[in-house]
Amino acid sequence: MSDFRLRVFQAVAQHLSFTKAAQGLFITQPAVTKHIRELERQYGQRLLERRGNRVGLTEAGRLLLAHAEAVAHSHQQLEDHLHALRDPEEAAGRLRLGASTTLAQYVLPGLLPGFQARHPKVQLTLLSANSEHIAEALLRGELDLGFVEGRSKSRDLHYELLLTDELVAVRGATAGDLPRRPLSLAEALAAPLVLRERGSGTLEVLEFALRTLRIKLSSLPVAFYFDNTEAIKAYLEAAPGALGFVSRRALTRELAGGLLEIVPVAGLHLARQFEAVWVQGQPLPRPAQRFLTYAHQQFKDGLP
């Protein structure tokens, strides 16, 4: 069995905050301090050091964190195997999913209720972050299965096609029912641009397409970088003349409500892939296997 004090230490190391660790574990801050001091007495080493208002890990703390993560992973594997022995047909245990923000906002939520109904014994969590951060979390052992977009690949991760997608140029809806005139590439890129942040798969796909056309992103009039698509859409509604690039899947409500409109851009096609991803050479836990199978089946049937 894992030591609860290690869980406390992991929480502090993750948040670099005693307060946030206490909140996440539903215990008091003095209890967090007590558990950390007990670990430090046990090992005869300082594990944490204060830097002003922040907390940092000592060398001993970094070593213990790696051990604590390995213990937690081993304990979860044991639970999964025991559940599988008790009921080979039923998935049970913890499933830590991570998804890039587009997938987390517009694709995966439609899958989760059906999966929960089929597998009520699986404890689901979903981390939403950009593709770069999801890959890093997988490699740190913080996630069981990820879903990402973009073109970058890590040799330490295994990628499997899940779904195709397309980025489109979008702006605030213009008045009248006249057909929208396609923009030339030069016209589109002269508009104030509203883009996703560095590390996002969305920006990476756009930047790669521009690079093949020998256009540098740094040369373009970028008005704002946002860390989520909802912020981009809200900005475009309030900024006439600005242009953004987002997933077609993210625009259903805005297009139907006449708030935004897709603008064809001549010579710019932004196809991309959504992919499932996990650590190379590491078998997926049973709940992750079941979720991946379920997702493939839903998309095969045209859902969500």
Side-chain angles (χ1 to χ4, degrees), residues 240-253:
L243 198 69
F245 293 90
V246 301
S247 169
R248 185 182 290 273
R249 296 176 181 275
L251 296 169
T252 304
R253 294 178 182 176

Side-chain angles (χ1 to χ4, degrees), residues 202-254:
T202 298
L203 183 65
E204 187 182 51
V205 169
L206 174 63
E207 193 167 15
F208 181 86
L210 293 176
R211 195 179 302 127
T212 62
L213 298 170
R214 298 185 178 181
I215 298 172
K216 292 183 179 180
L217 187 63
S218 59
S219 69
L220 302 181
V222 178
F224 220 100
Y225 290 97
F226 283 106
D227 65 358
N228 68 86
T229 300
E230 290 298 307
I232 291 177
K233 293 189 296 182
Y235 186 102
L236 292 173
E237 289 179 32
L243 198 69
F245 293 90
V246 301
S247 169
R248 185 182 290 273
R249 296 176 181 275
L251 296 169
T252 304
R253 294 178 182 176
E254 289 77 14

Side-chain angles (χ1 to χ4, degrees), residues 147-214:
F147 297 92
V148 298
E149 62 213 61
R151 302 185 62 91
S152 291
K153 299 285 189 293
S154 167
R155 289 181 295 181
D156 298 319
L157 297 174
H158 173 82
Y159 296 82
E160 182 174 300
L161 175 64
L162 182 73
L163 190 65
T164 57
D165 185 42
E166 179 188 13
L167 298 180
V168 293
V170 62
R171 67 186 176 193
T174 53
D177 297 324
L178 295 176
R180 292 183 297 278
R181 176 182 66 84
L183 297 178
S184 69
L185 184 60
E187 287 177 310
L189 299 184
L193 300 179
V194 189
L195 306 176
R196 284 291 306 279
E197 83 288 4
R198 288 285 178 191
S200 74
T202 298
L203 183 65
E204 187 182 51
V205 169
L206 174 63
E207 193 167 15
F208 181 86
L210 293 176
R211 195 179 302 127
T212 62
L213 298 170
R214 298 185 178 181

